[in-house]
Amino acid sequence: MAFHKIDLQGWARKEYYDHYFSAVPCTYSMTVKLDITALRRQGVKLYPAMLYALTTVVNRHEEFRTALNEAGEPGIYDRMLPCYTVFHRDSETFSNIWTEYDPDFTRFLHRYEQDLQTYGSLPGMEPKPHTPGNTFPVSMVPWASFEGFNLNLRNGYDYLLPIFTMGRYYTQQDRCLLPLAVQVHHAVCDGFHLCRFVTELQALLDRAETFGGA
């Protein structure tokens, strides 16, 4: 993991960063319906497949890897890892687990399954120790679908990384749709960047070879 501090004076985004981080602090969210028909037809496990797809596209673009260091300075991680929720039915609580990303889905799936086997049944919010700074949060609410989802974070104006929340997928005509809410910080991510992310994510989900298909 490497964190590269941004040269603010030479940063093309400095004016926008100053405006949306300090002058008018602004985060926003958008909910989209992803078509996961091709993914479901392959019979791939949904949660790890979505974690893989989200991380793949996150790692393509700097605006989704921009964060603050301990000194409050903005910088860009060279790569990101997913930190995702696992539900405990007995206590009706959850844990956050992170998994090392691999551009090969089969290897990523193996790492995910190992982490789930080792830490998935352990109580507490962070049963897997030493969560690195280059993780972004992903959660799933599989009990209900939704048209919109928004997080209200008291200190959210200091959090620059994206936050993803998935809902319950459903069938509409002959398509399988999955609601995805994305929360971002306007200081580093505009509507253009978020729409590009969703477009690339959908394209990745449409490709059978993404998850080992022919």
Side-chain angles (χ1 to χ4, degrees):
M1 174 189 70
F3 182 82
H4 306 281
K5 287 199 303 183
I6 294 172
D7 175 12
L8 292 177
Q9 299 310 313
W11 192 22
R13 193 167 181 84
K14 182 180 185 303
E15 180 181 1
Y16 307 92
Y17 177 83
D18 290 342
H19 181 75
Y20 288 117
F21 187 81
S22 301
V24 186
C26 177
T27 66
Y28 67 97
S29 62
M30 182 170 72
T31 300
V32 298
K33 299 175 183 177
L34 296 172
D35 188 333
I36 59 169
T37 306
L39 175 62
R40 297 303 296 162
R41 286 175 179 170
Q42 281 186 257
V44 181
K45 292 182 179 179
L46 178 60
Y47 203 20
M50 289 303 304
L51 293 173
Y52 170 82
L54 288 168
T55 310
T56 297
V57 184
V58 161
N59 281 324
R60 291 178 184 173
H61 302 290
E62 292 184 349
E63 60 268 16
F64 294 99
R65 294 183 278 114
T66 304
L68 300 177
N69 61 14
E70 293 182 355
E73 301 166 313
I76 301 170
Y77 286 111
D78 60 344
R79 65 189 178 95
M80 298 296 297
L81 318 174
C83 183
Y84 49 94
T85 57
V86 175
F87 184 66
H88 302 299
R89 295 183 181 276
D90 55 346
S91 62
E92 297 184 349
T93 60
F94 67 92
S95 294
N96 293 311
I97 300 177
W98 57 277
T99 292
E100 282 283 350
Y101 173 73
D102 193 291
D104 180 84
F105 174 66
T106 301
R107 290 196 292 266
F108 174 79
L109 179 62
H110 178 67
R111 292 176 178 177
Y112 166 85
E113 291 175 338
Q114 282 187 317
D115 283 332
L116 204 61
Q117 182 177 10
T118 304
Y119 305 104
S121 61
L122 299 181
M125 288 195 69
E126 295 187 7
K128 183 177 180 179
H130 312 302
T131 303
N134 62 325
T135 57
F136 64 93
V138 184
S139 61
M140 191 164 193
V141 187
W143 307 280
S145 187
F146 51 75
E147 296 291 326
F149 187 97
N150 185 66
L151 294 169
N152 301 297
L153 306 175
R154 180 177 181 181
N155 298 318
Y157 296 126
D158 293 331
Y159 190 80
L160 301 182
L161 293 171
I163 304 173
F164 299 95
T165 307
M166 292 175 282
R168 182 176 184 174
Y169 68 86
Y170 61 96
T171 301
Q172 188 173 74
Q173 296 179 348
D174 61 341
R175 313 307 294 174
C176 190
L177 303 178
L178 175 75
L180 171 71
V182 189
Q183 185 143 325
V184 294
H185 203 303
H186 208 345
V188 297
C189 183
D190 299 329
F192 164 79
H193 305 108
L194 184 50
C195 290
R196 178 174 62 185
F197 179 93
V198 172
T199 298
E200 293 186 6
L201 178 61
Q202 183 61 69
L204 197 64
L205 295 173
D206 288 339
R207 294 171 51 204
E209 59 268 28
T210 299
F211 307 101

